Coordinates of all heavy atoms in Angstrom, one line a residue:
M238 N -32.7 -18.5 -27.0 CA -31.6 -18.3 -26.1 C -31.6 -16.9 -25.5 O -31.9 -15.9 -26.2 CB -30.3 -18.4 -27.0 CG -29.0 -18.1 -26.2 SD -27.6 -18.3 -27.2 CE -27.0 -19.9 -26.7
E239 N -31.3 -16.8 -24.2 CA -31.3 -15.6 -23.5 C -30.1 -14.8 -23.9 O -29.0 -15.3 -24.1 CB -31.4 -15.8 -22.0 CG -32.7 -16.5 -21.6 CD -32.8 -16.6 -20.1 OE1 -32.3 -15.8 -19.4 OE2 -33.3 -17.7 -19.7
K240 N -30.2 -13.5 -23.8 CA -29.1 -12.6 -24.1 C -28.6 -12.0 -22.8 O -29.4 -11.5 -22.0 CB -29.5 -11.5 -25.1 CG -29.8 -12.0 -26.5 CD -30.0 -10.9 -27.4 CE -30.2 -11.5 -28.8 NZ -30.3 -10.4 -29.8
I241 N -27.3 -11.9 -22.7 CA -26.6 -11.3 -21.6 C -25.7 -10.2 -22.2 O -24.9 -10.5 -23.1 CB -25.9 -12.3 -20.7 CG1 -26.8 -13.3 -20.1 CG2 -25.1 -11.5 -19.6 CD1 -26.2 -14.4 -19.3
R242 N -25.7 -9.1 -21.6 CA -24.8 -8.0 -22.1 C -23.8 -7.7 -21.0 O -24.1 -7.5 -19.8 CB -25.6 -6.8 -22.4 CG -24.8 -5.6 -22.9 CD -25.8 -4.4 -23.3 NE -25.0 -3.3 -23.8 CZ -24.5 -2.3 -23.1 NH1 -24.7 -2.3 -21.8 NH2 -23.9 -1.3 -23.7
V243 N -22.5 -7.7 -21.3 CA -21.4 -7.4 -20.4 C -20.6 -6.2 -20.9 O -20.2 -6.2 -22.1 CB -20.5 -8.6 -20.2 CG1 -19.4 -8.2 -19.2 CG2 -21.2 -9.8 -19.7
Q244 N -20.6 -5.2 -20.1 CA -19.8 -4.0 -20.6 C -18.8 -3.6 -19.5 O -19.1 -3.6 -18.3 CB -20.7 -2.8 -20.8 CG -20.0 -1.5 -21.2 CD -21.0 -0.4 -21.5 OE1 -22.2 -0.5 -21.5 NE2 -20.4 0.8 -21.7
C245 N -17.6 -3.3 -19.9 CA -16.6 -2.8 -18.9 C -16.8 -1.3 -18.7 O -16.9 -0.5 -19.7 CB -15.2 -3.0 -19.5 SG -14.7 -4.7 -19.7
V246 N -17.0 -0.9 -17.5 CA -17.2 0.5 -17.1 C -15.8 1.1 -17.0 O -14.9 0.5 -16.3 CB -18.0 0.6 -15.8 CG1 -18.1 2.1 -15.4 CG2 -19.4 0.0 -16.0
K247 N -15.5 2.2 -17.6 CA -14.2 2.8 -17.6 C -13.8 3.0 -16.1 O -14.6 3.6 -15.3 CB -14.2 4.1 -18.3 CG -12.8 4.8 -18.4 CD -12.9 6.1 -19.2 CE -11.5 6.7 -19.2 NZ -11.5 7.9 -20.0
N248 N -12.7 2.5 -15.7 CA -12.1 2.6 -14.4 C -13.0 2.1 -13.3 O -13.0 2.5 -12.2 CB -11.8 4.1 -14.0 CG -10.8 4.7 -15.0 OD1 -9.9 4.0 -15.6 ND2 -10.9 6.0 -15.3
G249 N -13.9 1.1 -13.7 CA -14.8 0.5 -12.7 C -15.2 -0.9 -13.0 O -14.4 -1.7 -13.6
P250 N -16.3 -1.3 -12.6 CA -16.7 -2.7 -12.7 C -17.2 -3.2 -14.0 O -17.2 -2.4 -15.0 CB -17.9 -2.8 -11.7 CG -18.5 -1.5 -11.8 CD -17.4 -0.5 -12.0
Y251 N -17.6 -4.5 -14.1 CA -18.3 -5.0 -15.2 C -19.8 -4.7 -15.0 O -20.3 -5.1 -13.9 CB -18.1 -6.5 -15.4 CG -16.7 -7.0 -15.7 CD1 -16.0 -7.7 -14.8 CD2 -16.2 -6.8 -17.0 CE1 -14.7 -8.1 -15.1 CE2 -14.9 -7.3 -17.3 CZ -14.2 -7.9 -16.3 OH -12.9 -8.4 -16.7
E252 N -20.4 -4.2 -16.0 CA -21.9 -4.0 -15.9 C -22.5 -5.2 -16.7 O -22.2 -5.3 -17.9 CB -22.3 -2.7 -16.5 CG -23.8 -2.4 -16.5 CD -24.2 -1.1 -17.1 OE1 -24.1 -0.1 -16.5 OE2 -24.5 -1.2 -18.3
V253 N -23.2 -6.0 -16.0 CA -23.8 -7.2 -16.6 C -25.3 -7.1 -16.5 O -25.9 -6.9 -15.5 CB -23.4 -8.5 -15.8 CG1 -23.9 -9.7 -16.5 CG2 -21.9 -8.6 -15.7
Q254 N -26.0 -7.2 -17.7 CA -27.4 -7.0 -17.8 C -28.0 -8.3 -18.4 O -27.4 -8.8 -19.4 CB -27.8 -5.8 -18.7 CG -27.4 -4.5 -18.1 CD -27.7 -3.4 -19.1 OE1 -27.5 -3.5 -20.3 NE2 -28.2 -2.3 -18.5
G255 N -29.1 -8.8 -17.8 CA -29.8 -9.9 -18.3 C -30.3 -10.7 -17.2 O -30.4 -10.3 -16.0
T256 N -30.8 -11.9 -17.5 CA -31.3 -12.9 -16.5 C -30.2 -13.9 -16.3 O -29.9 -14.6 -17.2 CB -32.6 -13.6 -17.1 OG1 -33.6 -12.6 -17.4 CG2 -33.1 -14.5 -16.1
L257 N -29.7 -13.9 -15.1 CA -28.6 -14.7 -14.8 C -28.5 -15.1 -13.3 O -29.2 -14.5 -12.5 CB -27.3 -14.1 -15.2 CG -26.9 -12.8 -14.5 CD1 -25.4 -12.7 -14.4 CD2 -27.4 -11.6 -15.3
T258 N -27.7 -16.1 -13.0 CA -27.5 -16.6 -11.7 C -26.0 -16.5 -11.4 O -25.2 -17.0 -12.2 CB -28.0 -18.0 -11.5 OG1 -29.4 -18.1 -11.8 CG2 -27.7 -18.5 -10.1
I259 N -25.6 -15.9 -10.3 CA -24.2 -15.7 -10.0 C -23.9 -16.8 -8.9 O -24.6 -16.8 -7.9 CB -23.9 -14.3 -9.5 CG1 -24.1 -13.3 -10.7 CG2 -22.4 -14.2 -9.1 CD1 -24.0 -11.9 -10.3
V260 N -22.9 -17.6 -9.1 CA -22.6 -18.7 -8.2 C -21.1 -18.5 -7.7 O -20.2 -18.2 -8.5 CB -22.7 -20.0 -8.9 CG1 -22.4 -21.2 -8.0 CG2 -24.1 -20.2 -9.5
D261 N -20.8 -18.7 -6.4 CA -19.5 -18.6 -5.9 C -18.7 -19.9 -6.2 O -19.2 -20.8 -6.8 CB -19.5 -18.2 -4.4 CG -19.9 -19.3 -3.5 OD1 -20.0 -20.5 -3.9 OD2 -20.1 -19.0 -2.3
A262 N -17.4 -19.9 -5.7 CA -16.5 -21.0 -6.0 C -17.0 -22.3 -5.4 O -16.6 -23.4 -5.9 CB -15.1 -20.7 -5.5
N263 N -17.9 -22.3 -4.4 CA -18.4 -23.5 -3.8 C -19.7 -23.9 -4.4 O -20.3 -24.9 -3.9 CB -18.5 -23.3 -2.3 CG -17.2 -23.0 -1.7 OD1 -16.2 -23.7 -2.0 ND2 -17.1 -22.0 -0.8
G264 N -20.2 -23.2 -5.4 CA -21.5 -23.5 -6.0 C -22.7 -22.9 -5.3 O -23.8 -23.2 -5.7
K265 N -22.4 -22.1 -4.3 CA -23.5 -21.4 -3.6 C -24.0 -20.2 -4.5 O -23.2 -19.4 -4.9 CB -23.0 -20.9 -2.3 CG -24.1 -20.2 -1.5 CD -23.5 -19.6 -0.2 CE -24.5 -18.7 0.5 NZ -23.9 -18.0 1.7
I266 N -25.3 -20.1 -4.6 CA -25.9 -19.0 -5.4 C -25.7 -17.7 -4.6 O -26.1 -17.6 -3.4 CB -27.4 -19.2 -5.7 CG1 -27.5 -20.5 -6.6 CG2 -28.0 -18.0 -6.3 CD1 -28.9 -20.9 -6.9
V267 N -25.0 -16.8 -5.2 CA -24.8 -15.4 -4.6 C -26.0 -14.5 -4.9 O -26.5 -13.8 -4.1 CB -23.5 -14.8 -5.2 CG1 -23.3 -13.4 -4.7 CG2 -22.3 -15.7 -4.8
S268 N -26.5 -14.6 -6.2 CA -27.6 -13.8 -6.6 C -28.3 -14.5 -7.8 O -27.6 -15.1 -8.6 CB -27.1 -12.4 -6.9 OG -28.2 -11.6 -7.3
S269 N -29.6 -14.3 -7.9 CA -30.3 -14.8 -9.0 C -31.5 -13.9 -9.2 O -32.2 -13.6 -8.2 CB -30.8 -16.2 -8.7 OG -31.5 -16.7 -9.8
S270 N -31.7 -13.5 -10.4 CA -32.8 -12.5 -10.7 C -33.2 -12.5 -12.1 O -32.4 -12.8 -13.0 CB -32.3 -11.1 -10.3 OG -33.4 -10.2 -10.5
E271 N -34.5 -12.2 -12.3 CA -34.9 -12.0 -13.7 C -34.3 -10.6 -14.2 O -34.0 -9.8 -13.4 CB -36.5 -11.8 -13.7 CG -37.2 -13.1 -13.3 CD -37.0 -14.2 -14.3 OE1 -37.1 -13.9 -15.5 OE2 -36.8 -15.4 -13.9
S272 N -34.2 -10.5 -15.4 CA -33.6 -9.4 -16.1 C -33.3 -8.2 -15.2 O -34.2 -7.4 -14.8 CB -34.6 -8.9 -17.2 OG -34.0 -7.9 -18.0
T273 N -32.0 -8.0 -14.9 CA -31.6 -6.9 -14.1 C -30.2 -6.6 -14.4 O -29.6 -7.1 -15.3 CB -31.7 -7.3 -12.6 OG1 -31.5 -6.2 -11.8 CG2 -30.7 -8.4 -12.2
T274 N -29.6 -5.6 -13.7 CA -28.2 -5.2 -13.9 C -27.4 -5.4 -12.7 O -27.8 -5.1 -11.6 CB -28.2 -3.7 -14.3 OG1 -29.0 -3.4 -15.4 CG2 -26.8 -3.2 -14.5
Y275 N -26.3 -6.1 -12.9 CA -25.3 -6.3 -11.8 C -24.0 -5.6 -12.1 O -23.7 -5.4 -13.3 CB -25.0 -7.8 -11.7 CG -26.1 -8.7 -11.2 CD1 -26.8 -9.4 -12.1 CD2 -26.3 -8.9 -9.9 CE1 -27.8 -10.2 -11.7 CE2 -27.4 -9.7 -9.4 CZ -28.1 -10.4 -10.4 OH -29.1 -11.2 -10.0
Y276 N -23.3 -5.2 -11.1 CA -22.0 -4.6 -11.2 C -21.0 -5.6 -10.5 O -21.1 -5.7 -9.3 CB -22.0 -3.2 -10.6 CG -22.8 -2.3 -11.4 CD1 -24.1 -2.1 -11.1 CD2 -22.3 -1.7 -12.6 CE1 -25.0 -1.2 -11.9 CE2 -23.1 -0.8 -13.3 CZ -24.4 -0.6 -13.0 OH -25.2 0.2 -13.7
L277 N -20.1 -6.2 -11.3 CA -19.2 -7.1 -10.8 C -17.8 -6.5 -10.7 O -17.3 -5.9 -11.7 CB -19.2 -8.4 -11.7 CG -20.5 -9.1 -11.8 CD1 -20.4 -10.3 -12.8 CD2 -21.1 -9.5 -10.5
C278 N -17.1 -6.8 -9.6 CA -15.8 -6.2 -9.4 C -14.8 -6.7 -10.4 O -14.7 -7.9 -10.7 CB -15.3 -6.6 -8.0 SG -13.7 -6.0 -7.6
R279 N -14.0 -5.8 -11.0 CA -12.9 -6.2 -11.8 C -11.6 -5.6 -11.4 O -10.5 -5.8 -12.0 CB -13.1 -6.0 -13.3 CG -13.1 -4.6 -13.8 CD -13.4 -4.5 -15.3 NE -13.5 -3.2 -15.7 CZ -12.7 -2.6 -16.6 NH1 -11.8 -3.3 -17.1 NH2 -12.8 -1.4 -16.9
C280 N -11.6 -4.8 -10.2 CA -10.4 -4.2 -9.7 C -9.7 -5.1 -8.7 O -8.6 -5.0 -8.4 CB -10.7 -2.9 -9.1 SG -11.5 -3.0 -7.4
G281 N -10.5 -6.1 -8.2 CA -9.9 -7.0 -7.2 C -10.0 -6.5 -5.7 O -9.7 -7.2 -4.8
G282 N -10.5 -5.3 -5.5 CA -10.5 -4.7 -4.2 C -11.8 -4.8 -3.4 O -11.8 -4.4 -2.2
S283 N -12.8 -5.2 -4.0 CA -14.2 -5.2 -3.4 C -14.2 -6.1 -2.1 O -13.6 -7.2 -2.1 CB -15.2 -5.7 -4.4 OG -16.5 -5.8 -3.7
G284 N -14.8 -5.7 -1.1 CA -15.0 -6.5 0.1 C -16.3 -7.3 0.0 O -16.6 -8.1 0.9
T285 N -17.0 -7.2 -1.1 CA -18.2 -8.0 -1.3 C -18.2 -8.7 -2.6 O -19.2 -8.8 -3.3 CB -19.5 -7.1 -1.2 OG1 -19.4 -6.1 -2.3 CG2 -19.6 -6.4 0.1
K286 N -17.0 -9.3 -3.0 CA -16.9 -10.0 -4.2 C -17.9 -11.1 -4.3 O -18.2 -11.7 -3.3 CB -15.5 -10.6 -4.4 CG -14.4 -9.6 -4.5 CD -13.1 -10.3 -4.7 CE -11.9 -9.3 -4.6 NZ -11.5 -9.1 -3.2
P287 N -18.5 -11.3 -5.5 CA -18.1 -10.8 -6.8 C -18.7 -9.4 -7.1 O -18.4 -8.9 -8.2 CB -18.5 -11.8 -7.8 CG -19.8 -12.4 -7.2 CD -19.5 -12.4 -5.7
M288 N -19.5 -8.9 -6.2 CA -20.1 -7.6 -6.5 C -19.1 -6.4 -6.3 O -18.3 -6.5 -5.4 CB -21.3 -7.4 -5.6 CG -22.4 -8.5 -5.7 SD -22.9 -8.8 -7.4 CE -24.2 -10.0 -7.1
C289 N -19.3 -5.4 -7.0 CA -18.6 -4.1 -6.8 C -19.2 -3.4 -5.6 O -20.4 -3.4 -5.4 CB -18.8 -3.3 -8.1 SG -18.2 -1.6 -7.9
D290 N -18.3 -2.9 -4.7 CA -18.7 -2.1 -3.6 C -18.2 -0.7 -3.6 O -18.3 0.0 -2.6 CB -18.3 -2.8 -2.3 CG -16.8 -2.8 -2.0 OD1 -16.1 -2.3 -2.9 OD2 -16.4 -3.3 -0.9
G291 N -17.7 -0.3 -4.7 CA -17.2 1.1 -4.9 C -15.7 1.3 -4.5 O -15.2 2.4 -4.7
T292 N -15.0 0.2 -4.1 CA -13.6 0.3 -3.7 C -12.8 0.8 -4.9 O -11.8 1.5 -4.7 CB -13.1 -1.0 -3.2 OG1 -13.9 -1.4 -2.0 CG2 -11.6 -1.0 -2.9
H293 N -13.2 0.5 -6.1 CA -12.4 0.9 -7.3 C -12.1 2.4 -7.3 O -11.0 2.8 -7.7 CB -13.1 0.4 -8.6 CG -14.4 1.0 -8.8 ND1 -15.6 0.4 -8.3 CD2 -14.8 2.2 -9.4 CE1 -16.6 1.2 -8.7 NE2 -16.1 2.3 -9.3
G294 N -13.1 3.1 -6.8 CA -12.9 4.6 -6.8 C -11.8 5.0 -5.7 O -11.0 5.9 -6.0
R295 N -11.9 4.4 -4.6 CA -10.9 4.7 -3.5 C -9.5 4.3 -3.8 O -8.6 5.0 -3.5 CB -11.4 4.0 -2.2 CG -12.6 4.6 -1.6 CD -12.9 4.2 -0.1 NE -12.9 2.8 0.0 CZ -14.0 2.1 -0.2 NH1 -15.1 2.7 -0.5 NH2 -14.0 0.8 0.0
I296 N -9.3 3.2 -4.6 CA -8.0 2.7 -4.9 C -7.5 3.3 -6.3 O -6.5 3.0 -6.7 CB -7.9 1.2 -4.9 CG1 -8.7 0.5 -6.0 CG2 -8.2 0.7 -3.5 CD1 -8.5 -1.0 -6.1
R297 N -8.4 4.1 -6.9 CA -8.1 4.7 -8.2 C -7.8 3.7 -9.2 O -6.8 3.9 -10.0 CB -7.0 5.8 -8.0 CG -7.4 6.9 -7.0 CD -6.4 7.9 -6.9 NE -6.8 8.8 -5.8 CZ -6.6 10.1 -5.8 NH1 -6.0 10.6 -6.8 NH2 -7.0 10.8 -4.8
F298 N -8.6 2.6 -9.3 CA -8.4 1.6 -10.3 C -8.6 2.3 -11.7 O -9.4 3.1 -11.9 CB -9.5 0.6 -10.2 CG -9.6 -0.5 -11.3 CD1 -8.6 -1.4 -11.4 CD2 -10.6 -0.5 -12.1 CE1 -8.6 -2.4 -12.4 CE2 -10.7 -1.5 -13.1 CZ -9.7 -2.4 -13.2
Q299 N -7.6 1.9 -12.6 CA -7.7 2.5 -13.9 C -7.6 1.4 -15.0 O -6.8 0.5 -15.0 CB -6.5 3.4 -14.2 CG -6.6 4.7 -13.3 CD -5.5 5.7 -13.7 OE1 -4.6 5.4 -14.4 NE2 -5.7 6.9 -13.2
S300 N -8.6 1.4 -15.9 CA -8.7 0.5 -17.0 C -9.7 1.0 -18.0 O -10.8 1.6 -17.5 CB -9.0 -0.9 -16.5 OG -9.1 -1.7 -17.6
E301 N -9.5 0.9 -19.2 CA -10.5 1.3 -20.2 C -11.6 0.3 -20.3 O -11.6 -0.8 -20.0 CB -9.8 1.4 -21.6 CG -8.9 2.5 -21.7 CD -9.5 3.9 -21.4 OE1 -10.6 4.2 -22.0 OE2 -8.9 4.7 -20.7
Ligands
FES287 S1 -14.6 -2.7 -9.6 FE1 -15.8 -1.7 -8.0 S2 -14.9 -2.5 -6.2 FE2 -13.8 -3.5 -7.8

């Protein structure tokens, strides 16, 4: 079984490490890669969801 690691970055995105495929609500593959690190938005403000685009810093998103 493959391992995936998900960590919440303080005041920022989810850091996701592992081999995974990210699919949008319509089933379209957004990204697929062998063992890598993704940053997924958890502030809701990204213009490139589900990926983080740095907006969390501009809107001063706060979360542990
Ligand atoms: S967490 Fe970075 S843009 Fe939302």
